[in-house]
Amino acid sequence: MKEITITIRDGEDKRELRLESGTPLSRLVNQDPSQGQMIVAAKVNGRLMELGQKLYKSAEVEFLTTASAIGYEIYKRSLILLMVRAYHEVFPEKRVRVLYSLGQGFFCTVYDAEGHLVEPERADLKAVLGVMRRLVNEKLPIEKKVLKTAEAVKIFRERGMDQKAEIFRYRRASRVNLYCLDGYEDYFYGYMLPSTEGLSRFNLIPFDDGFILVVPRRNTLELSRGHGAPESLYMALREAEDWGDLIGLSGVGQLNTEICKGHLNDLILIQEAIMEKKIADIAEEIHARNRKLVLIAGPSSSGKTTFSNRLSVQLRAHGLNPHPIAMDNFFKERVDTPRDENGKYDFESIDAVDLKLFNETMERLLEGEEMPMPRFDFTLGEKKFDGRTLKLKPDDVLVVEGIHALNPASTYALPANSSYKIYISALSQLNLDEHNRISTSDTRLLRRIVRDARTRGNDAARTIAMWESVRRGEEKNIFPFQGEADALFNSALIYELPAIKIWAEPLLFMVPSDSEEFYEAKRLLKFLEYFLGIDSSMVPTNSLLREFIGGGCFEI
């Protein structure tokens, strides 16, 4: 038998092994559960591979754990397959839909053979949990099978998985990869674990008319007792899902069909009208409550700036005079900016904001005083007072936008009854199919890639490289305070990925193949293949999407 040399890389350390050609990557893995992480994939000569793949040539191997973004997604995806397979065994006549991420898990619903929603009983979930644990204990293989696309479509039609069948109608590939677990075949967008071994931390808890598949935390693989999501977030997600179901658009295949039929313009107008009504309702409530200070926060690329502008228009329609204020203009001088653990400036930290000046300025404005307004010079790293002042009149409203706007520490000196807090995020109502959801993080990342290339001169590789740091800042500084909001605004547009596709693809193709960001760019390109592109001239000039693709009517 031919021998090959495998160099295993762990940071700066390297060690060599002599192995038989054809050895699977999983044979090289020696798991230590006490470490709170699990090896789930590998990079072989820089190329991402599943642990089930075999090595036939000498190569350098670097293992990925659940602590990495890629590895964590593989673990969660494998858990979903495990859950769906177990549900199919216990209730073969029922179908599960995995709808969206909710706190520390995924919200799922169950349907009977006729497509009617069925609320699962606690006993049902207990039975499914039992099968999941048995499948894990048996350490069953998760095998990849290659089928002709037509064969896969037939399988999905027979099981009533119309969204899966529909999505392949628009794929050019003649073959498709299915994953098989103990006789159950399914399609998943992305890689899987080689077996059920290690998938031991999960839970199923009843929630509303469905249930939540609770997944372990990324860095520790510890399991939470609950899901930890605020009620307002769930209501916004459910509202978007119900609207998608109402118009018959809950999967990408159905959206592509509407594009082919020439119905997209009507869909855009309806979506934008619904969004405008929600903004008008928020403006109406601000007016009714007589709030003088509006605070807007949300994660990166949620469309906060355009939302602020559209809200200002609606406030004017109610006879109010809004004054937009960016909290970024109250940054501390660069010399006083805190640094992170790597010694880099931490602009995401609340300590990067001059809270004393911000609170004094807002407090005195609300008391009717005229105040000088700073403008932060990001090139020089210091605030400038250029003579611009502000004094509120009876019908004036301050509209403040910033990542820390909902954190009570940001407004410690201001009366609680003076403010109206709004949390904004892009909560997609669209999924690829029954078991493959569209991550809101992916939608926001694509928005940011396009916007940063257009407005900041950043290529896609640079934006992707910064994204992990941005996400960590959101987890720490934004998500914990979404429950403080008086209103939650969903900025996702059901048609946006077909529109943004034509802008994002050329940028992603330019990411060098030898860069750390290449796999993520390749993954996003594969993701965009599911969508038919549309002419972005169809997007209205006041749409939130214009903040990213350009051509909008607001100065941003």
Side-chain angles (χ1 to χ4, degrees):
M1 179 68 71
K2 177 184 175 183
E3 281 196 342
I4 57 175
T5 301
I6 300 300
T7 303
I8 298 179
R9 181 175 179 178
D10 184 6
E12 297 299 320
D13 298 329
K14 294 183 180 181
R15 60 187 176 92
E16 287 191 354
L17 297 174
R18 295 289 295 173
L19 302 170
E20 289 185 357
S21 176
T23 299
L25 278 163
S26 58
R27 291 272 298 276
L28 280 65
V29 175
N30 184 19
Q31 300 279 13
D32 183 1
S34 66
Q35 294 299 310
Q37 297 177 12
M38 179 178 168
I39 294 173
V40 293
K43 286 184 178 179
V44 179
N45 293 333
R47 180 187 170 194
L48 187 69
M49 288 189 177
E50 293 174 300
L51 293 181
Q53 290 193 257
K54 297 179 180 180
L55 299 170
Y56 293 100
K57 296 180 180 179
S58 296
E60 182 175 276
V61 175
E62 180 180 2
F63 289 112
L64 297 179
T65 73
T66 46
S68 68
I70 296 171
Y72 189 47
E73 289 301 318
I74 291 173
Y75 188 94
K76 292 190 293 183
R77 194 178 298 118
S78 302
L79 268 183
I80 291 173
L81 172 60
L82 176 69
M83 180 273 293
V84 173
R85 160 65 182 83
Y87 221 105
H88 181 72
E89 177 174 321
V90 179
F91 302 105
E93 76 285 359
K94 294 179 181 178
R95 294 178 288 110
V96 177
R97 279 178 63 188
V98 181
L99 294 173
Y100 32 75
S101 176
L102 192 63
Q104 198 55 42
F106 300 109
F107 178 69
C108 309
T109 48
V110 182
Y111 298 83
D112 62 19
E114 285 73 43
H116 300 126
L117 184 66
V118 179
E119 185 171 341
E121 302 288 340
R122 287 184 178 273
D124 297 345
L125 299 180
K126 185 177 180 180
V128 175
L129 274 171
V131 174
M132 291 176 71
R133 294 188 181 109
R134 190 201 81 218
L135 295 173
V136 171
N137 291 334
E138 291 176 357
K139 301 178 182 179
L140 297 173
I142 298 176
E143 300 172 316
K144 182 185 286 187
K145 296 176 63 176
V146 182
L147 291 181
K148 291 181 179 180
T149 302
E151 292 177 22
V153 169
K154 182 181 178 181
I155 291 173
F156 297 138
R157 291 288 188 202
E158 289 173 351
R159 290 188 190 163
M161 296 182 184
D162 293 334
Q163 290 182 12
K164 285 184 183 290
E166 189 74 7
I167 200 170
F168 287 113
R169 180 179 175 186
Y170 300 98
R171 297 297 303 278
R172 295 183 178 90
S174 60
R175 296 183 179 274
V176 60
N177 295 325
L178 298 188
Y179 286 95
C180 182
L181 173 56
D182 197 28
Y184 177 85
E185 296 170 335
D186 206 343
Y187 174 77
F188 282 89
Y189 156 63
Y191 288 163
M192 288 281 184
L193 288 174
S195 75
T196 59
E197 184 178 6
L199 290 173
S200 58
R201 300 180 184 182
F202 52 81
N203 197 12
L204 302 179
I205 58 176
F207 188 82
D208 198 12
D209 54 2
F211 67 92
I212 292 179
L213 168 62
V214 182
V215 302
R217 298 186 182 280
R218 170 172 159 180
N219 291 319
T220 63
L221 287 187
E222 293 177 349
L223 198 64
S224 304
R225 293 180 66 87
H227 59 86
E231 182 70 16
S232 58
L233 176 64
Y234 170 68
M235 294 305 296
L237 286 163
R238 194 58 187 261
E239 182 181 43
E241 173 212 340
D242 290 344
W243 183 73
D245 288 344
L246 182 65
I247 63 173
L249 281 179
S250 51
V252 172
Q254 294 162 323
L255 176 60
N256 288 336
T257 298
E258 292 301 298
I259 292 173
C260 289
K261 290 180 177 179
H263 297 166
L264 194 63
N265 190 57
D266 287 346
L267 183 64
I268 290 174
L269 293 175
I270 294 169
Q271 170 92 90
E272 293 290 349
I274 290 173
M275 187 167 283
E276 191 64 31
K277 183 180 184 303
K278 291 186 179 299
I279 297 172
D281 290 343
I282 292 173
E284 169 109 23
E285 191 170 358
I286 293 169
H287 179 258
R289 292 194 191 184
N290 194 28
R291 295 296 194 248
K292 306 297 289 184
L293 176 64
V294 178
L295 300 168
I296 303 170
S300 174
S301 303
S302 295
K304 294 184 291 292
T305 306
T306 300
F307 172 78
S308 298
N309 279 283
R310 288 177 65 169
L311 178 62
S312 294
V313 171
Q314 289 293 340
L315 290 171
R316 290 190 185 98
H318 285 80
L320 302 175
N321 184 28
H323 295 277
I325 295 174
M327 279 189 75
D328 286 359
N329 283 324
F330 289 84
F331 266 136
K332 289 179 179 176
E333 271 57 39
R334 188 66 43 82
V335 67
D336 298 320
T337 302
R339 295 177 182 267
D340 62 19
E341 64 275 9
N342 299 315
K344 297 181 179 179
Y345 289 117
D346 187 0
F347 298 112
E348 307 292 321
S349 169
I350 191 171
D351 294 323
V353 182
D354 189 338
L355 294 179
K356 184 174 184 293
L357 177 63
F358 176 74
N359 276 267
E360 285 180 355
T361 303
M362 296 300 110
E363 185 176 29
R364 293 169 68 178
L365 281 170
L366 292 172
E367 290 173 352
E369 296 185 41
E370 184 173 4
M371 294 296 296
M373 301 301 294
R375 177 185 60 82
F376 195 84
D377 188 319
F378 286 89
T379 303
L380 298 176
E382 59 186 37
K383 289 186 286 292
K384 297 285 188 181
F385 289 88
D386 52 13
R388 188 169 64 94
T389 64
L390 179 62
K391 182 176 181 179
L392 296 187
K393 297 175 183 177
D395 291 326
D396 287 1
V397 180
L398 299 171
V399 181
V400 179
E401 176 233 317
I403 65 171
H404 301 290
L406 299 192
N407 187 337
S410 295
T411 53
Y412 65 87
L414 305 179
N417 61 0
S418 67
S419 65
Y420 187 92
K421 298 181 178 182
I422 303 169
Y423 179 80
I424 175 173
S425 190
L427 307 171
S428 177
Q429 63 267 60
L430 197 67
N431 279 341
L432 288 179
D433 58 43
E434 290 89 347
H435 303 147
N436 290 275
R437 65 187 186 87
I438 293 177
S439 165
T440 59
S441 175
D442 282 352
T443 301
R444 293 190 293 110
L445 175 55
L446 287 166
R447 285 178 171 187
R448 182 156 177 163
I449 286 171
V450 172
R451 184 198 64 191
D452 283 7
R454 182 177 60 83
T455 64
R456 302 180 183 179
N458 291 345
D459 58 20
R462 178 173 173 78
T463 302
I464 292 170
M466 294 188 300
W467 192 240
E468 268 294 291
S469 176
V470 170
R471 293 294 311 280
R472 285 195 299 270
E474 293 170 350
E475 294 283 350
K476 180 180 179 181
N477 301 310
I478 299 175
F479 296 151
F481 304 105
Q482 56 189 303
E484 298 282 332
D486 297 292
L488 191 153
F489 181 78
N490 186 359
S491 69
L493 296 155
I494 202 166
Y495 67 86
E496 70 175 277
L497 288 169
I500 213 166
K501 171 178 178 169
I502 61 171
W503 299 89
E505 283 185 331
L507 300 171
L508 292 167
F509 276 119
M510 292 300 291
V511 175
S513 59
D514 59 351
S515 71
E516 287 288 325
E517 296 73 38
F518 177 71
Y519 171 74
E520 182 68 353
K522 183 179 178 182
R523 183 186 70 81
L524 290 171
L525 282 167
K526 181 183 176 183
F527 170 62
L528 289 171
E529 285 181 2
Y530 292 98
F531 298 86
L532 297 180
I534 64 170
D535 183 356
S536 59
S537 66
M538 301 173 69
V539 180
T541 58
N542 71 335
S543 173
L544 271 89
L545 190 56
R546 287 292 178 184
E547 183 172 328
F548 308 99
I549 66 175
C553 60
F554 299 115
E555 290 186 18
I556 297 175

